[in-house]
Amino acid sequence: MGQALGCIQVDQSTVAIKETFGKFDDVLEPGCHCLPWCLGRQVAGHLTLRVQQLDVRCETKTKDNVFVTVVASIQYRALAEKASDAFYRLSNTRAQIQAYVFDVIRASVPKLELDSTFEQKNEIAKAVEEELEKAMSAYGYEIVQTLIVDIEPDEHVKRAMNEINAAARLRVAANEKAEAEKILQIKRAEGDAESKYLAGLGIARQRQAIVDGLRDSVLAFSENVPGTSSKDVMDMVLVTQYFDTMKEIGASSKSSSVFIPHGPGAVRDVASQIREGLLQAHAAT
């Protein structure tokens, strides 16, 4: 009914392009408008003023000959004051924006190596935004934001990069492990050396105490028993220690120590004792 009476409604965040006998006449803002069709007035089309987003995937090559796919997200909108330019001057806005994005990315990325491409993605996005702003402002569009949302190297390149990173981490881990083992061995050797040093001090002190005790015993015995020499006292002390040792060995049920005479004379005595035992055994048979 409204169209029959020449009335149209323009929604919010939208403008309508008014023509009179096929010629641009005016931009109709949101609201209700009267367009008498009998006077040749009509709406040529509508133009949204909302922010739109276009995702562009661009394949290119870096300076070190690695093929990557750069994903750029372009946010743009038409300007109300330039609605006629946005409606009439471009037939395919998205294709035009995509062409400019391809041009800037394929001019910027080949100047950078792969690692630098990841590090300087903000600079690439800024270059794309500046170029689009200059180009699209003449057509009545504003570039709100340009983002480089992803940089995807070739699958083989990603696998190689992961292997390189894993190998580097394994090398660092091996170095750290070797360094830790080195520290443990050093600390173990230092502890062993310190233990042996303290054990040596203990043995030296023990022997010094034994020597001091023997000296005091010999002096005291020589003074209390007239006519004895130091040698006699030492022989007696040694015999006493010998019997004390034999007593301790005999008292232990798990002792594996055996004392036998040693020296050339002692060996001769052992041989004669064995010979005599054999002769007595033959005589008995």
Side-chain angles (χ1 to χ4, degrees):
M1 186 66 180
Q3 293 179 354
L5 297 176
C7 295
I8 66 166
Q9 175 182 322
V10 180
D11 297 333
Q12 186 66 34
S13 299
T14 305
V15 293
I17 305 301
K18 174 185 173 184
E19 292 181 349
T20 302
F21 293 109
K23 181 181 179 181
F24 171 72
D25 186 7
D26 195 7
V27 176
L28 304 181
E29 296 183 353
C32 185
H33 300 274
C34 183
L35 294 178
W37 57 270
C38 58
L39 299 179
R41 297 173 181 174
Q42 62 178 354
V43 174
H46 293 79
L47 184 68
T48 179
L49 302 180
R50 295 177 180 177
V51 176
Q52 303 179 67
Q53 179 167 310
L54 173 63
D55 293 331
V56 180
R57 297 178 65 88
C58 177
E59 185 178 12
T60 184
K61 185 178 70 171
T62 62
K63 187 177 181 180
D64 47 353
N65 297 322
V66 177
F67 282 91
V68 296
T69 299
V70 180
V71 182
S73 180
I74 313 300
Q75 298 173 357
Y76 65 98
R77 67 179 178 182
L79 298 174
E81 59 272 18
K82 295 184 178 181
S84 60
D85 291 335
F87 185 81
Y88 287 106
R89 297 190 64 181
L90 283 179
S91 61
N92 192 335
T93 304
R94 299 173 73 87
Q96 184 77 8
I97 293 175
Q98 181 174 331
Y100 281 111
V101 173
F102 280 177
D103 181 66
V104 175
I105 290 179
R106 288 174 176 169
S108 302
V109 174
K111 299 178 182 179
L112 304 172
E113 294 184 352
L114 181 60
D115 293 340
S116 301
T117 304
F118 283 96
E119 295 172 358
Q120 300 184 27
K121 69 182 188 68
N122 291 334
E123 285 75 8
I124 298 174
K126 185 177 180 180
V128 173
E129 182 175 352
E130 291 176 353
E131 185 66 23
L132 285 176
E133 187 68 34
K134 289 189 298 183
M136 299 304 295
S137 61
Y139 298 106
Y141 282 91
E142 176 190 12
I143 304 301
V144 178
Q145 186 72 32
T146 300
L147 303 172
I148 301 297
V149 295
D150 197 7
I151 298 175
E152 302 175 356
D154 183 77
E155 187 64 30
H156 298 290
V157 176
K158 288 197 291 185
R159 188 180 301 111
M161 292 173 63
N162 290 334
E163 290 176 357
I164 292 173
N165 187 273
R169 292 182 181 275
L170 288 175
R171 184 169 61 252
V172 172
N175 290 335
E176 293 295 333
K177 182 178 180 181
E179 191 67 24
E181 291 179 353
K182 175 184 175 182
I183 294 174
L184 286 176
Q185 291 180 0
I186 292 175
K187 293 299 182 182
R188 192 180 295 114
E190 291 178 352
D192 188 48
E194 185 69 18
S195 175
K196 290 180 179 179
Y197 173 74
L198 295 176
L201 289 179
I203 293 173
R205 292 174 180 174
Q206 180 187 19
R207 291 176 178 175
Q208 183 65 40
I210 292 173
V211 171
D212 294 340
L214 290 174
R215 185 184 63 248
D216 295 340
S217 299
V218 170
L219 293 176
F221 194 87
S222 299
E223 292 177 356
N224 296 328
V225 181
T228 59
S229 63
S230 300
K231 183 177 181 306
D232 297 333
V233 177
M234 286 299 298
D235 291 340
M236 185 185 67
V237 170
L238 291 176
V239 171
T240 303
Q241 290 184 346
Y242 175 78
F243 282 112
D244 291 340
T245 303
M246 295 300 293
K247 179 181 179 182
E248 292 179 1
I249 293 174
S252 177
S253 61
K254 297 182 180 180
S255 177
S256 59
S257 300
V258 178
F259 282 85
I260 61 173
H262 58 280
V267 173
R268 186 171 60 250
D269 293 340
V270 172
S272 62
Q273 291 176 10
I274 294 174
R275 191 181 305 110
E276 291 177 359
L278 291 174
L279 293 175
Q280 290 176 3
H282 284 295
T285 56

